[in-house]
Amino acid sequence: MIKKLLSILLIFSLIPVAWGVGVQQVKAETSGKKQLEDVRDQKKQSETEMEKIEDLKVETQKELGKIETDITNLDKQIAELNKKIAANQKHVDKHEKVLSEHLRRMYVHDSGTYLSHMLNSDSFSQFLERFEIVRLLMKEQADVFNKYLDMKHSLEKNKKDLEAKKKAQAELLKKSEAKVKEINAKLAKYKDQLDQLEAKERNLLQKYAGAFGGGGGILAFPSTRGTVYWNYGQNRGSHIHAGIDIPRPVGTPIFAAESGVVQSIRSDPNGYGIYVIIRHNNGLSTLYAHMYRYQVIVGAGQRVSRGQQIASVGNNGRSSGPHLHFEVHKNGSPVNPRSYLQ
Ligand SMILES: [Zn+2]
């Protein structure tokens, strides 16, 4: 009797404990789910920020390239001007010499020069005539000399202007280079942040494995919700079906099942049609098949976020109707997507 009573007491005292544990577990799972959502929100923010910075980097690098081209062009123009200046200087020197020779002859030497020539004239009118000729000759020489002198000054001014322009461009170049450096530092910072968030996400997924519905929920569903043929491993005679099929109308969005980098976009006309492989940070890759080329809206090497649209459902390759063929690879081998999908 006492034994029976004791066992009844024991049962009743255990029930609330077990019940309490259950409540606590649900609470933990709810808070885990909330934490996971927070981490994913933060990840999305980091990724958006990184995309913005990447865009800025592309712009700045374009600017940098333009400035470098400008400087090369200015250098060419300066070299050309230097050639012209040198050629002109030859003319200046030559005419300067001729002119000074005339002057020297006129004023220093008396014999056999213009002056003596003029003074030896037979008549005053002849003197005047000769004087006029000499005057004109001198003037012509002086005009030519002045023309080259003017050109010399204008060429030198042009060169100065170009050099000032080059200096300004060099300063711009320095600024652009500093900007790119700054952008790279920012990108590295966000990359670190993203890596940390992804590690956090993985930890949460491991800690609460199984609690987030559909077998762990490591991957997001890759299209709109609806019918799924869970036909992974099906024997197709010539091959084993390596993924699952998600029948959807052509044009239905296909989403990245997880953040990652587009590893490849390939064509397999007798099989997968156009297909995309995304590599994720957690040792997983995902494959999306049967699209047409025009439906793929990401490029190889592009970073994509979980849930981001990457393509649309097609009916290309060996396909019996519009559908998304979806595979999950772990360390390079196909695994059953069912254990990973949310
Ligand atoms: Zn398939």
Side-chain angles (χ1 to χ4, degrees):
M1 183 65 194
I2 287 172
K3 219 174 170 185
K4 204 175 173 187
L5 230 141
L6 268 175
S7 67
I8 288 169
L9 269 172
L10 201 67
I11 287 165
F12 274 93
S13 63
L14 278 177
I15 284 171
V17 171
W19 191 72
V21 166
V23 166
Q24 261 166 16
Q25 195 175 332
V26 169
K27 267 189 187 159
E29 281 171 7
T30 310
S31 93
K33 206 163 189 169
K34 177 84 183 58
Q35 281 178 54
L36 189 66
E37 273 166 20
D38 286 350
V39 166
R40 282 180 177 162
D41 279 350
Q42 287 172 38
K43 254 180 73 186
K44 198 136 206 162
Q45 277 172 24
S46 279
E47 279 162 355
T48 312
E49 204 58 41
M50 268 177 92
E51 260 167 46
K52 268 194 235 155
I53 298 169
E54 292 272 11
D55 284 350
L56 194 68
K57 188 177 168 182
V58 169
E59 277 305 304
T60 310
Q61 272 170 337
K62 251 193 230 161
E63 261 168 49
L64 213 135
K66 237 177 78 193
I67 295 169
E68 273 171 351
T69 313
D70 278 355
I71 289 179
T72 310
N73 283 338
L74 283 170
D75 271 337
K76 258 190 221 157
Q77 287 177 47
I78 288 172
E80 210 118 298
L81 263 181
N82 275 336
K83 260 193 224 160
K84 275 189 194 163
I85 287 172
N88 188 67
Q89 188 61 42
K90 266 188 195 159
H91 288 288
V92 170
D93 291 347
K94 192 181 114 198
H95 288 272
E96 198 178 16
K97 209 174 144 201
V98 170
L99 203 63
S100 64
E101 187 67 15
H102 284 323
L103 287 170
R104 198 177 58 79
R105 276 201 206 145
M106 271 183 79
Y107 296 110
V108 180
H109 290 278
D110 287 336
S111 58
T113 63
Y114 296 119
L115 204 59
S116 59
H117 188 58
M118 283 188 284
L119 294 175
N120 288 334
S121 305
D122 298 335
S123 64
F124 187 63
S125 68
Q126 204 181 11
F127 165 76
L128 280 182
E129 196 183 299
R130 285 183 179 170
F131 180 80
E132 181 60 13
I133 288 169
V134 169
R135 202 184 63 79
L136 283 172
L137 246 150
M138 291 288 295
K139 190 176 179 305
E140 204 178 300
Q141 285 292 340
D143 282 351
V144 173
F145 175 68
N146 279 329
K147 199 186 90 193
Y148 284 115
L149 211 58
D150 281 352
M151 205 191 281
K152 181 183 172 175
H153 291 145
S154 116
L155 284 170
E156 272 164 1
K157 193 184 170 300
N158 270 351
K159 191 183 163 185
K160 235 184 186 171
D161 288 351
L162 284 178
E163 272 168 352
K165 254 191 214 165
K166 192 187 158 184
K167 206 177 154 200
Q169 290 299 85
E171 264 160 35
L172 271 181
L173 189 74
K174 244 194 213 161
K175 268 188 204 158
S176 286
E177 278 169 349
K179 205 169 162 193
V180 168
K181 220 173 163 186
E182 198 183 297
I183 286 171
N184 279 337
K186 251 191 201 166
L187 273 179
K189 202 188 91 190
Y190 276 104
K191 177 82 181 57
D192 272 0
Q193 203 173 308
L194 200 62
D195 285 348
Q196 278 172 24
L197 286 168
E198 274 172 0
K200 228 182 198 177
E201 186 185 28
R202 271 198 301 281
N203 278 342
L204 282 167
L205 283 170
Q206 264 167 18
K207 191 169 165 194
Y208 297 102
F212 300 146
I218 286 170
L219 298 174
F221 196 75
S223 187
T224 54
R225 293 277 178 185
T227 310
V228 179
Y229 299 131
W230 299 104
N231 49 4
Y232 170 82
Q234 195 179 63
N235 193 338
R236 296 263 173 104
S238 61
H239 67 282
I240 301 284
H241 194 238
I244 55 170
D245 291 323
I246 302 168
R248 293 291 179 277
V250 169
T252 307
I254 298 174
F255 305 118
E258 177 54 294
S259 301
V261 173
V262 177
Q263 183 179 302
S264 60
I265 299 165
R266 290 199 199 130
S267 171
D268 175 14
N270 300 315
Y272 284 164
I274 300 295
Y275 64 104
V276 173
I277 299 175
I278 301 178
R279 198 180 56 246
H280 311 293
N281 245 1
N282 48 7
L284 296 180
S285 301
T286 48
L287 182 151
Y288 313 75
H290 296 309
M291 289 87 79
Y292 300 99
R293 181 75 67 181
Y294 75 90
Q295 293 181 308
V296 178
I297 57 173
V298 290
Q302 187 179 328
R303 177 172 267 282
V304 292
S305 314
R306 181 187 178 97
Q308 180 183 334
Q309 186 176 356
I310 56 159
S312 307
V313 171
N315 188 20
N316 193 13
R318 195 164 64 191
S319 173
S320 51
H323 77 284
L324 164 65
H325 170 92
F326 176 70
E327 292 179 18
V328 178
H329 294 197
K330 190 175 184 181
N331 303 321
S333 309
V335 289
N336 192 347
R338 186 161 216 166
S339 345
Y340 293 89
L341 284 177
Q342 246 177 355

